[in-house]
Amino acid sequence: MHPTTLILSSSLILVIAILIYPLLTTLNPNPQDQKWAITHVKTSVKIAFLVSLLPLMIFLDQGTETIITNWHWMNTAPFDINISFKFDHYSIIFTPIALYVTWSILEFASWYMHSDPLMNRFFKYLLLFLVAMILLVSANNMFQLFIGWEGVGIMSFLLIGWWYGRADANTAALQAVLYNRVGDIGLIMAMAWLAMNLNSWEIQQIFFLSKNFDMTLPLIGLILAATGKSAQFGLHPWLPSAMEGPTPVSALLHSSTMVVAGIFLLIRLHPLMENNNIALTTCLCLGALTTLFTAACALTQNDIKKIVAFSTSSQLGLMMVTIGLNQPQLAFLHICTHAFFKAMLFLCSGSIIHSLNDEQDIRKMGGLQNLMPMTSTCLTIGSLALTGTPFLAGFFSKDAIIEALNTSHLNAWALILTLIATSFTAVYSFRVVYFVTMGTPRFLPLSPINENNPSVINPIKRLAWGSIIAGLIITSSFLPSKTPIMSMPLTLKLAALLVTIIGLLTALELTAMTNKQFKITPTIPPHHFSNMLGYFPAIIHRLTPKLNLSLGQSIATQLIDQTWFEATGPKGVSSLQVKMAKTVSDAQQGMIKTYLTIFLLTTTIAILLTMI
Amino acid sequence: MTPVHFSFSSAFILGLMGLTFHRTHLLSALLCLEGMMLSLFIALALWTLQFEMTGFSAAPMLLLAFSACEASAGLALLVATARTHGTDRLQNLNLLQC
């Protein structure tokens, strides 16, 4: 067999085997030693990352993609289900990136969760999540994708509710599961439609046969699934609430890997959507709405993790917009670059939070530039990459997306919303950096500020290198399959940069005004709209349960108790009969013996008459 | 008439007279009613045998089933009377008498 294919397939299967091995060691009934998390889990992820670089290099050199079908698992009546891994350019690029980010996060978590007695279990959950995510991105059929999909959803629930003694954490975990479930309805509907009409769950067969069908219904299902998993508008409140989980969870799940699963699904199944304008327009408008709404909500949040969460949501909306533009590769590029700087932003937040003794409110931070130089520097690098500063990682993907937006034939409203959201990105990123690192300290004097542990600094430094050079490396290695439009007017070319600079200048102006009393009373309604997340959770989380409960109550009370039992059921029959009996018995006198005697007399006379 | 014919006819008439001429207790009226039903049961069974109509064999069973329902309704009324009036004597059932 040709050595290239042999190395490629075996190293990819080896990656998955390396990740599963530590999970198998937990099946041992003997208790694990204290350092199992570090010796087994982190080492396995590091080795898996290094092994996964092999297929990446082979792909870079020769462009080989592979589909590995292992085992015929089951047979539903019309079609077979196999265990089948598809390593095309999406999975081959995403897997090393996910493993790199996870490696850094695990190393950070060994410092962050150091005092937690259940640290081994925490690492096991993170590893289980990672395995589910790799299964999801490498799935060649919808069944395996569904397994990965549900796996990441459940692990998200378990990890968000890690500190389950806290009521807010339990609520947030439940919220995550419920909103994801609503999205799962869409995925299951799409799978059912595909099984019924295309008679297969294999991606190749779906692509081949979909040209003959009108794919609007399953595509709406898939978009619903992406709305749930990737927190698009309508199913978005779970993502900011998910910040109740520990910071490594937020860094891994809710910034780099799990929330991009929905977008990844749409990227994977993009050939189905290419010609369907309804689906494309839905993606475009939904993504534009999401990105603006969540960016607007991020402007007035005071919890550092919530700001980064809304930033994630805004970038997910941008990815959805890109899919709506028929540019799945740009969306994928943004997923890859976004993973680096968003994970780094979360790790920096975690370092700051621990150093200030679990303080998460940015109004109580400040002046950390001199006290935590490495962390605040990387925070700044991450924020600059997020806003699309030229030639950092975010620039290559974000600028390409905005250029594609400006030169496509599309909905002007979506375009305007996305540009406004891009400027808001600059505003809230600057707000974070200003409140955290600049100015004078507003925290308590006896804060245990210490970033000297290599477990903290090395992951952040690694991700910082990634945030700087990842964009360049990825774009210079892989050719786009759709030709980007290269010539456009200068204003359009610089649109992203201009909008970002406008946002930054506005933010600087507003900052300079904070210590001069520009207005006597603040303008309350916009601030409250933004701070209360557009009142969306306040309305929906109370209205829907209230409607359901009152419906249940009116069914039980009015329909069953008052109508069926009283008026139409047994009691209704009896009340009717009693009325009739009362009317009739008014005419009777009650002399029963007399009546019966006369009856006998009449009968006797009648019989005698017939006999004579 | 044949002796069998005479026996169930006289049983029926005697039961009917017992039902109409009952003196004190409601229960005796109900018992006479049961006797009438029994005589009718024998009459239907004899009908089937005499005329050799095998299709009619189910009729006595049906009569029995319905008479059981009717007897239970009668007994329920008896119990209700005993509950409200304290006894089943017929001179107590005079609420509607003027």
Side-chain angles (χ1 to χ4, degrees):
Chain A
M1 200 174 154
H2 197 257
T4 309
T5 46
L6 191 60
I7 297 176
L8 188 60
S9 316
S10 42
S11 44
L12 287 165
I13 298 295
L14 190 60
V15 165
I16 299 179
I18 291 174
L19 289 175
I20 292 183
Y21 168 71
L23 296 173
L24 293 176
T25 61
T26 62
L27 294 174
N28 187 351
N30 301 330
Q32 305 295 328
D33 71 86
Q34 292 300 99
K35 299 193 128 293
W36 173 83
I38 303 178
T39 55
H40 279 72
V41 179
K42 188 180 70 118
T43 325
S44 80
V45 172
K46 185 157 77 169
I47 294 176
F49 164 66
L50 293 170
V51 170
S52 72
L53 287 179
L54 260 176
L56 184 65
M57 297 306 151
I58 294 178
F59 176 72
L60 277 178
D61 181 44
Q62 300 181 9
T64 42
E65 306 176 350
T66 178
I67 295 175
I68 310 170
T69 305
N70 284 343
W71 185 43
H72 177 216
W73 188 353
M74 66 177 90
N75 172 271
T76 65
F79 58 90
D80 295 337
I81 297 178
N82 308 314
I83 294 188
S84 175
F85 299 100
K86 178 178 164 104
F87 284 101
D88 61 346
H89 65 282
Y90 292 133
S91 332
I92 290 188
I93 300 175
F94 186 77
T95 309
I97 291 177
L99 288 171
Y100 183 76
V101 171
T102 311
W103 170 33
S104 305
I105 291 173
L106 287 179
E107 201 178 328
F108 176 82
S110 67
W111 171 77
Y112 195 82
M113 308 294 288
H114 179 254
S115 57
D116 195 325
L118 294 173
M119 190 167 97
N120 285 343
R121 186 189 291 183
F122 185 74
F123 273 64
K124 183 169 84 166
Y125 284 177
L126 284 179
L127 189 60
L128 203 53
F129 165 80
L130 184 65
V131 171
M133 190 69 203
I134 302 286
L135 277 181
L136 198 158
V137 302
S138 62
N140 194 26
N141 55 9
M142 299 297 289
F143 190 71
Q144 206 166 316
L145 192 134
F146 189 69
I147 294 175
W149 187 272
E150 291 297 305
V152 298
I154 291 296
M155 296 325 293
S156 168
F157 168 75
L158 289 173
L159 284 167
I160 294 174
W162 178 253
W163 290 313
Y164 52 80
R166 197 177 139 84
D168 281 341
N170 289 332
T171 322
L174 200 60
Q175 224 178 328
V177 165
L178 289 176
Y179 275 115
N180 276 341
R181 257 297 167 253
V182 177
D184 289 352
I185 296 174
L187 184 61
I188 293 176
M189 176 180 81
M191 283 169 69
W193 190 96
L194 290 172
M196 284 194 326
N197 292 24
L198 301 183
N199 193 33
S200 174
W201 276 342
E202 299 276 331
I203 292 189
Q204 283 73 36
Q205 188 167 339
I206 293 172
F207 287 169
F208 188 64
L209 288 176
S210 65
K211 300 181 190 35
N212 307 326
F213 287 85
D214 175 25
M215 300 290 288
T216 311
L217 186 62
L219 285 173
I220 298 294
L222 291 174
I223 293 174
L224 181 62
T227 311
K229 190 67 91 177
S230 295
Q232 302 299 307
F233 183 76
L235 298 177
H236 66 279
W238 69 270
L239 189 55
S241 306
M243 298 298 118
E244 292 285 335
T247 307
V249 170
S250 309
L252 183 56
L253 270 75
H254 304 121
S255 65
S256 333
T257 33
M258 182 187 125
V259 290
V260 299
I263 305 288
F264 196 88
L265 174 74
L266 289 179
I267 292 177
R268 195 41 121 207
L269 297 176
H270 189 80
L272 302 177
M273 273 172 68
E274 275 174 333
N275 302 320
N276 191 323
N277 278 326
I278 298 176
L280 289 175
T281 316
T282 313
C283 282
L284 191 70
C285 296
L286 184 63
L289 182 61
T290 305
T291 180
L292 181 64
F293 180 75
T294 50
C297 289
L299 292 177
T300 54
Q301 298 299 313
N302 296 317
D303 182 350
I304 189 173
K305 283 179 71 174
K306 284 228 169 32
I307 299 181
V308 186
F310 276 113
S311 162
T312 307
S313 207
S314 183
Q315 298 303 306
L316 290 170
L318 189 65
M319 294 174 205
M320 188 68 122
V321 166
T322 323
I323 291 180
L325 284 177
N326 241 334
Q327 301 274 2
Q329 280 200 319
L330 279 184
F332 180 71
L333 178 64
H334 198 53
I335 288 179
C336 296
T337 54
H338 174 259
F340 286 104
F341 51 76
K342 198 45 69 71
M344 183 171 72
L345 281 176
F346 268 113
L347 293 195
C348 294
S349 320
S351 167
I352 294 170
I353 290 170
H354 249 29
S355 292
L356 296 181
N357 201 17
D358 294 336
E359 180 59 64
Q360 291 186 248
D361 196 329
I362 57 173
R363 297 172 292 192
K364 288 191 182 176
M365 303 174 189
L368 288 175
Q369 175 80 10
N370 303 310
L371 298 165
M372 299 178 73
M374 179 61 75
T375 308
S376 52
T377 316
C378 293
L379 188 75
T380 317
I381 293 177
S383 300
L384 286 174
L386 172 61
T387 57
T389 311
F391 310 120
L392 292 183
F395 169 75
F396 291 95
S397 48
K398 217 167 170 197
D399 202 67
I401 293 173
I402 305 279
E403 274 179 28
L405 261 180
N406 279 330
T407 54
S408 311
H409 180 81
L410 85 167
N411 195 330
W413 180 75
L415 174 64
I416 293 177
L417 289 190
T418 313
L419 288 176
I420 297 176
T422 314
S423 70
F424 281 179
T425 310
V427 176
Y428 62 69
S429 300
F430 174 71
R431 186 164 176 261
V432 170
V433 170
Y434 175 73
F435 273 101
V436 170
T437 62
M438 301 186 192
T440 52
R442 297 181 292 277
F443 47 84
L444 300 170
L446 285 179
S447 300
I449 297 181
N450 186 358
E451 60 171 16
N452 291 322
N453 195 333
S455 313
V456 182
I457 288 302
N458 287 341
I460 295 182
K461 270 198 272 194
R462 276 204 296 272
L463 288 177
W465 277 117
S467 306
I468 297 173
I469 58 178
L472 182 62
I473 291 181
I474 299 178
T475 43
S476 54
S477 311
F478 306 107
L479 291 172
S481 54
K482 295 189 205 260
T483 320
I485 298 182
M486 291 300 199
S487 55
M488 61 194 91
L490 187 65
T491 326
L492 290 187
K493 184 84 181 166
L494 295 177
L497 201 57
L498 282 174
V499 166
T500 308
I501 291 177
I502 290 173
L504 185 64
L505 289 175
T506 318
L508 283 169
E509 265 305 306
L510 286 171
T511 320
M513 282 203 266
T514 50
N515 51 8
K516 313 175 188 64
Q517 196 177 28
F518 189 69
K519 281 174 77 158
I520 305 181
T521 54
T523 318
I524 292 293
H527 175 267
H528 282 191
F529 181 81
S530 173
N531 202 11
M532 297 279 293
L533 317 183
Y535 309 114
F536 187 93
I539 299 174
I540 299 293
H541 291 174
R542 295 179 190 197
L543 188 66
T544 326
K546 175 167 171 274
L547 286 177
N548 276 326
L549 286 173
S550 55
L551 179 71
Q553 188 190 35
S554 65
I555 288 180
T557 314
Q558 291 174 350
L559 184 61
I560 297 181
D561 278 348
Q562 289 175 350
T563 313
W564 284 121
F565 287 164
E566 296 281 330
T568 55
K571 286 208 188 149
V573 173
S574 75
S575 64
L576 198 62
Q577 299 297 327
V578 160
K579 284 202 202 87
M580 291 200 291
K582 278 196 191 148
T583 322
V584 170
S585 53
D586 274 343
Q588 296 170 348
Q589 299 293 322
M591 296 186 292
I592 305 215
K593 277 168 78 172
T594 323
Y595 298 152
L596 285 173
T597 318
I598 297 179
F599 163 67
L600 183 65
L601 214 59
T602 318
T603 321
T604 323
I605 292 177
I607 291 175
L608 285 174
L609 274 176
T610 56
M611 290 213 302
I612 295 174
Chain B
M1 52 168 67
T2 60
V4 181
H5 191 182
F6 175 74
S7 65
F8 72 73
S9 310
S10 56
F12 185 81
I13 290 172
L14 282 173
L16 186 61
M17 290 206 299
L19 177 64
T20 53
F21 294 143
H22 58 275
R23 288 181 24 153
T24 44
H25 286 281
L26 184 59
L27 187 57
S28 53
L30 291 177
L31 282 170
C32 292
L33 209 52
E34 285 306 303
M36 285 163 70
M37 285 301 128
L38 195 57
S39 65
L40 285 174
F41 177 82
I42 293 177
L44 278 180
L46 280 172
W47 188 313
T48 315
L49 284 172
Q50 294 280 358
F51 294 132
E52 292 178 24
M53 297 159 67
T54 47
F56 210 57
S57 310
M61 296 308 300
L62 284 173
L63 179 69
L64 209 56
F66 283 120
S67 98
C69 299
E70 161 224 323
S72 52
L75 281 172
L77 284 169
L78 183 74
V79 170
T81 319
R83 286 230 178 118
T84 51
H85 292 268
T87 170
D88 68 340
R89 283 172 173 269
L90 283 161
Q91 63 242 43
N92 286 343
L93 297 173
N94 57 359
L95 272 180
L96 287 175
Q97 238 171 12
C98 52

